[in-house]
Amino acid sequence: STGETIDLKAIPLDDKPTFDLLGKAQSVGVFQLESSGMRDLLRKLMPDTFEDIIAINALFRPGPIQSGMIDDFVKRKHGKQKVTYMHPALEPILKNTYGVIAYQDQVMQVANRLAGFTLAQADLLRRAMGKKKPEEMARMKQAFLEGCIARDVPKKTAEEIFDLMEKFAGYGFVRAHSAAYAILSYQCAYLKAHHPAAYLAASLTSEVGDTDRIVALVDEARRMGISVLAPDVNRSQSNFTLEGTAIRFGLNAVKNVGVGSVEAIVK
């Protein structure tokens, strides 16, 4: 909307204004983080690391919500619930998620480090847990217990760890998938935090065919103190544009005005 070029790869992942915006749940228009439920989670969590953004992208789904995993994650982040590990070897695997199994990758790492599974075997375990096939699960559990015992992990502890993995594996997200989403979420939040009028003008342009979204984004702009100027045949362009610190309504978003008419007016 401004013609300014921003190198997204150069955006720092520890930007305080970005985390302030997210902690206040001012995330309308931010990829993956704008639903009312997600904004409620942002207020509770007050994310301050990029790892937090990756985790909530993985955890904000029906399974983890219903299981209480998200509540545990929030409480542990804020020190209201003690972060515990059933075995010392779990700490480096689960530290970034406060002891909560959030990713399928973590299930594989646990099997690899505690039971000596190869990564190929660990992947078979991950798939078996996800599909919940009883016969295959029984066979994999036996192999897991034998591997743990051979590495001096007590059988009772190994059984508890396996049961924990089995409980969370059905909910687990692939971390790479969640991280890719988180990058986009964070970049959107950064642009909104540092270039709010330009970001919202671009967002409005991208939603030009959806009246409800236009209304929501115009409301968000006004909530942020950004004026949205009415459409004007002498000033408006096809898209939403900036006029100083204000956003000028784009003619393409005016109902019942065709593209040909807009092009003629702009010309």
Side-chain angles (χ1 to χ4, degrees), residues 7-238:
D7 181 3
L8 296 180
K9 292 180 181 177
I11 290 176
L13 294 179
D14 58 354
D15 180 68
K16 189 176 185 302
T18 301
F19 285 112
D20 286 345
L21 178 139
L22 293 175
K24 293 173 184 174
Q26 296 174 352
S27 56
V28 172
V30 174
F31 177 70
Q32 289 292 111
L33 303 182
E34 65 174 332
S35 71
S36 59
M38 182 61 90
R39 295 203 307 275
D40 185 50
L41 173 57
L42 288 170
R43 285 188 198 94
K44 291 176 182 174
L45 183 66
M46 299 288 289
D48 55 9
T49 69
F50 183 63
E51 285 289 340
D52 288 344
I53 308 302
I54 299 175
I56 61 175
N57 265 296
L59 290 171
F60 192 74
R61 292 175 299 117
I65 291 170
Q66 291 163 12
S67 73
M69 289 168 66
I70 288 184
D71 290 337
D72 290 344
F73 186 86
V74 171
K75 288 174 184 174
R76 291 178 183 193
K77 176 176 174 63
H78 294 302
K80 294 177 181 177
Q81 184 181 101
K82 189 176 180 181
V83 178
T84 57
Y85 305 97
M86 292 181 182
H87 189 277
L90 295 181
E91 183 170 354
I93 299 170
L94 302 180
K95 188 173 183 179
N96 284 343
T97 51
Y98 311 108
V100 172
I101 297 176
Y103 314 117
Q104 293 181 12
D105 316 52
Q106 291 171 320
V107 170
M108 293 175 63
Q109 287 176 295
V110 170
N112 173 249
R113 295 188 192 178
L114 264 71
F117 278 32
T118 65
L119 292 180
Q121 289 172 317
D123 190 46
L124 290 174
L125 173 63
R126 174 193 65 80
R127 278 190 263 178
M129 286 181 164
K131 292 177 181 177
K132 302 188 186 301
K133 293 183 177 179
E135 303 84 3
E136 198 172 347
M137 283 296 298
R139 182 174 58 80
M140 296 297 279
K141 181 174 185 177
Q142 187 59 35
F144 180 85
L145 295 178
E146 288 173 1
C148 285
I149 291 166
R151 285 160 183 77
D152 299 323
V153 178
K155 183 179 179 181
K156 187 173 184 299
T157 302
E159 287 178 333
E160 289 172 352
I161 291 170
F162 189 90
D163 291 343
L164 182 71
M165 290 195 301
E166 187 176 5
K167 177 184 175 185
F168 291 148
Y171 306 141
F173 224 48
V174 176
R175 188 176 187 278
H177 187 142
S178 188
Y181 273 28
I183 282 283
L184 293 174
S185 300
Y186 183 88
Q187 288 172 341
C188 289
Y190 177 93
L191 293 173
K192 188 178 180 187
H194 290 273
H195 309 275
Y199 182 77
L200 286 171
S203 298
L204 282 159
T205 295
S206 75
E207 301 280 10
V208 76
D210 188 331
T211 303
D212 290 342
R213 288 292 293 152
I214 293 291
V215 170
L217 290 166
V218 167
D219 285 348
E220 178 67 1
R222 288 173 175 156
R223 187 198 61 73
M224 295 182 75
I226 300 165
S227 297
V228 180
L229 306 175
D232 186 320
V233 292
N234 294 311
R235 292 182 176 275
S236 290
Q237 302 297 312
S238 304

